[in-house]
Each structure stands twice: as structure tokens, then as C-alpha cells.
Amino acid sequence: MSGKTDEGRKREREAPKKYVNEWLANHQDQRVRVKFTQGRQVVGVLKGYDQLMNLVLDDVEETLRDHDDLDVLTKETRHLGLVVVRGPLLLTISPVDGMEEIENPFNVQE
């Protein structure tokens, strides 16, 4: 037995949710990059969210994937406009401003 009360366990479960809600609130109306569990990736302006991490994004651009290898993103994009993103499909959310993409140092060209 861990010795924790039900109230203590409840606070531990709510701490990550509080952090995520604060992060989302701080990045509302800013451009964010969202990666999905199936490999898709979009960039858009975060307009809203709920407790299930469903997101509302505006002015969304999806980065298209290579037709031959779906794990590879191309430089092509398509405009999607206003979208609702379901929380269970999210892999990562990150701000666009202040971030830069670097080459993968482990990707060795033969």
C-alpha cells in the first residue's frame, strides 16, 4: 500500500491536466504545429480547446506526405482552413514561433 489518500492520488492525476490547460491557454491565438498518431502534420492558429484536448485550429496548412513513403513529409502543403482536431489523435503540440527545424543527425545518406 502506498499510503496515499484518495485526495492525494486525485491531485496527482489532475496536475498534468492543469499544466496542459495552462500551456494551451498561454498559446491561444498563436500558431502551433500539431503532429498526429498516424503521421499527419498541420500548422494553424489555436483558437480553442476543451478538457478532452480537442482543438479548434484556424488557417490550417497540412504538410503533405510522400505518396511512395508515407513516413516522409514533403515540402508541399494544402490549405484546410478551420478544423476541429480530436484529442485522441494528437501526438504532439508545439509552438511554431521560437522553434526551428534541424536536420536529423542520425539520418545517414548512403
Side-chain angles (χ1 to χ4, degrees):
M1 187 146 191
S2 68
K4 293 183 183 176
T5 65
D6 287 338
E7 186 64 31
R9 283 192 287 274
K10 182 179 177 184
R11 275 195 305 267
E12 282 182 358
R13 283 193 309 269
E14 290 177 355
K17 291 179 189 176
K18 182 179 177 186
Y19 172 77
V20 169
N21 285 335
E22 280 181 24
W23 191 93
L24 289 170
N26 289 336
H27 289 84
Q28 197 153 352
D29 294 321
Q30 294 180 12
R31 293 188 66 74
V32 293
R33 181 178 319 279
V34 178
K35 294 183 182 181
F36 298 93
T37 55
Q38 298 297 316
R40 294 175 78 177
Q41 180 174 302
V42 299
V43 173
V45 178
L46 178 63
K47 289 296 186 180
Y49 59 93
D50 65 11
Q51 69 274 13
L52 299 175
M53 294 270 305
N54 297 314
L55 307 177
V56 177
L57 301 174
D58 196 10
D59 194 27
V60 175
E61 294 280 332
E62 177 185 13
T63 303
L64 299 178
R65 297 185 285 176
D66 189 307
H67 295 298
D68 298 326
D69 186 357
L70 295 179
D71 292 330
V72 176
L73 295 173
T74 66
K75 299 222 183 268
E76 293 180 63
T77 62
R78 70 176 174 163
H79 185 74
L80 300 177
L82 183 69
V83 299
V84 175
V85 176
R86 292 190 57 234
L89 301 177
L90 297 176
L91 184 62
T92 64
I93 306 170
S94 60
V96 172
D97 294 334
M99 303 281 290
E100 71 178 74
E101 189 171 334
I102 62 170
E103 286 293 321
N104 182 350
F106 301 105
N107 188 11
V108 179
Q109 298 293 329
E110 295 180 18

